[in-house]
Amino acid sequence: MDYEGIGTEARERITAAQDLPAVEALRIALLGKAGSISALLKTLGGMSPEARASEGPRIHALREGVTAALTARKDALEGAALEQRLAAERIDLTLPAPLTPRGTVHPVSQVMDELAEIFADLGFAVASGPEIEDDWHNFTALNMPESHPARAMHDTFYLEGETDDHRALLLRTHTSPVQIRSMLADGAPLRIIAPGRVYRSDSDATHTPMFHQIEGLVIDKGIHLGHLKWTLETFLKAFFERDDIVLRLRPSYFPFTEPSVEIDTGYSWQDGRRVVGGSGDAPGHSWMELLGSGMINARVLAAGGLDPDQWQGFAFGVGVDRLAMLKYGMSDLRAFFDGDARWAAHYGFAALDVPTLSAGVGARP
Ligand code: DAH
């Protein structure tokens, strides 16, 4: 039998195969169950031992040669297909691309970035905590025990179930629990801000069930109210990009601070919108409440695992949405969360408009 001739012919047909299905068809025709070379292998069984000794190696060599040719052809075709795809899908990253922005950065995100930038400059790190909190972190550790009337004022969304240590689950009503989490995780000294979503069962023109706060926390030795005032004044001047910010500190009450201070700022109406600046006592000006703050209550420090005789600190909490509205002149809070693309296009920021202190933290929409 002319095995070499059969082999040569098979290899010619394999080389001529133009695509992978053609190679596969040849494999089946040659090496499949009913394939021609498989048939040759079967003839070995009917041969005399001498014939088999001489024919066997030749038929096996034929099969191996054909198998190798099939594999080689398959690899070549696959390689060529890949090359072709790579060539077709090539993107020239050096081509000039038109800037047709789709989507914008939401004012809340923009303002949070601005705040992070301002506070980073003052040595604050950004901390975060879970939005699904437990009532110990959200209330108890912040000096609001179970019977505390302030709990009722928070219109809390409670969740079913509890933590492993039997604490009730809820959606955090403020960012203040991050104070506790930071103290427990990192100890003192501490200098953090914690921006994020908070939730209260409350909804009207100026309240949405979800809104944003930013918490500030400083713990160190010898911290006093003067540090609080300087920090807030420095922050608000940088944020509103004006030097004439005047603050009024008003005694107030929060369970987690002692003393507690409400911070008001002077403003006036210009073109139908509130513009922050000047003393609230100046002609044409008024005061508006801006944020809550105070010296951290000793019981809160203790709940955070710190010795109140050694460490002091101040904290503040402010509504991010309100800061955004004041700075960028939006009047309806609900529109923030409607997801209306026209609103986003009007009030949103370009993605590349990253706030930096040097270039200005207050790029215009
Ligand atoms: N957690 C308070 C709230 O949501 C805001 C607040 C007030 C935070 C005073 C503070 C603070 O850290 O010192 O109403």
Side-chain angles (χ1 to χ4, degrees):
M1 186 70 93
D2 179 13
Y3 298 121
E4 285 70 24
I6 296 173
T8 305
E9 197 222 321
R11 274 192 292 276
E12 278 170 12
R13 289 170 66 196
I14 291 167
T15 311
Q18 286 308 305
D19 52 29
L20 291 168
V23 174
E24 178 60 8
L26 278 172
R27 191 191 63 77
I28 291 166
L30 297 164
L31 301 173
K33 255 198 202 137
S36 53
I37 294 174
S38 308
L40 286 176
L41 278 163
K42 279 179 206 153
T43 62
L44 285 171
M47 291 181 190
S48 65
E50 300 78 41
R52 195 182 306 142
S54 73
E55 300 298 284
R58 294 179 60 204
I59 301 177
H60 280 292
L62 166 63
R63 192 189 55 176
E64 269 157 42
V66 168
T67 304
L70 283 165
T71 306
R73 185 63 188 144
K74 192 165 165 248
D75 288 350
L77 285 171
E78 278 173 352
L82 180 64
E83 283 304 323
Q84 207 172 21
R85 234 187 81 198
L86 287 176
E89 290 176 3
R90 186 186 299 269
I91 295 172
D92 184 349
L93 293 176
T94 66
L95 286 177
L99 250 191
T100 44
R102 296 252 219 115
T104 56
V105 175
H106 195 284
V108 170
S109 303
Q110 180 77 14
V111 163
M112 282 185 177
D113 288 349
E114 292 176 15
L115 296 172
E117 177 70 14
I118 290 167
F119 279 103
D121 199 50
L122 300 177
F124 285 67
V126 174
S128 65
E131 289 170 32
I132 296 178
E133 255 301 0
D134 60 63
D135 66 349
W136 186 81
H137 286 92
N138 195 80
F139 291 128
T140 313
L142 290 162
N143 194 31
M144 281 184 268
E146 218 130 298
S147 57
H148 202 284
R151 279 202 187 200
M153 282 161 55
H154 275 217
D155 301 311
T156 311
F157 286 113
Y158 283 92
L159 304 175
E160 279 177 26
E162 55 180 24
T163 64
D164 290 342
D165 34 11
H166 308 295
R167 295 169 177 169
L169 288 171
L170 45 79
L171 295 178
R172 67 178 179 190
T173 59
H174 51 176
T175 43
S176 301
V178 183
Q179 290 188 26
I180 304 297
R181 290 188 175 273
S182 295
M183 286 184 229
L184 290 174
D186 301 324
L190 211 51
R191 215 184 271 203
I192 54 132
I193 54 167
R197 298 189 184 94
V198 300
Y199 302 83
R200 289 185 202 177
S201 177
D202 200 354
S203 191
D204 59 37
T206 52
H207 297 89
T208 48
M210 184 282 298
F211 57 104
H212 300 84
Q213 285 189 337
I214 187 166
E215 194 79 11
L217 176 69
V218 170
I219 298 176
D220 213 322
K221 294 190 170 155
I223 295 292
H224 54 74
L225 211 56
H227 297 121
L228 163 65
K229 189 178 184 201
W230 180 87
T231 303
L232 293 178
E233 213 169 74
T234 304
F235 142 52
L236 291 168
K237 282 179 177 170
F239 179 71
F240 288 111
E241 297 177 280
R242 6 189 344 149
D243 270 333
D244 65 345
I245 302 287
V246 181
L247 300 186
R248 182 173 75 173
L249 277 64
R250 226 170 358 95
S252 181
Y253 173 76
F254 299 104
F256 27 90
T257 46
E258 182 57 40
S260 301
V261 194
E262 204 108 44
I263 307 283
D264 299 338
T265 178
Y267 75 97
S268 59
W269 287 98
Q270 284 168 34
D271 304 323
R273 72 182 250 202
R274 286 173 200 249
V275 175
V276 172
S279 162
D281 294 327
H285 285 63
S286 322
W287 294 107
M288 105 179 109
E289 191 183 307
L290 202 57
L291 53 90
S293 64
M295 302 307 294
I296 302 164
N297 190 305
R299 304 174 71 146
V300 173
L301 288 168
L306 300 178
D307 177 1
D309 291 330
Q310 238 194 315
W311 300 100
Q312 299 77 43
F314 66 81
F316 57 90
V318 51
V320 174
D321 313 286
R322 216 164 94 80
L323 284 180
M325 290 167 82
L326 273 173
K327 182 165 179 178
Y328 294 114
M330 291 152 283
S331 55
D332 187 357
L333 177 65
R334 287 170 300 191
F336 272 54
F337 312 119
D338 280 348
D340 187 326
R342 292 163 301 180
W343 186 89
H346 183 75
Y347 287 111
F349 294 81
L352 298 176
D353 202 356
V354 178
T356 61
L357 282 181
S358 52
V361 290
R364 291 276 141 194

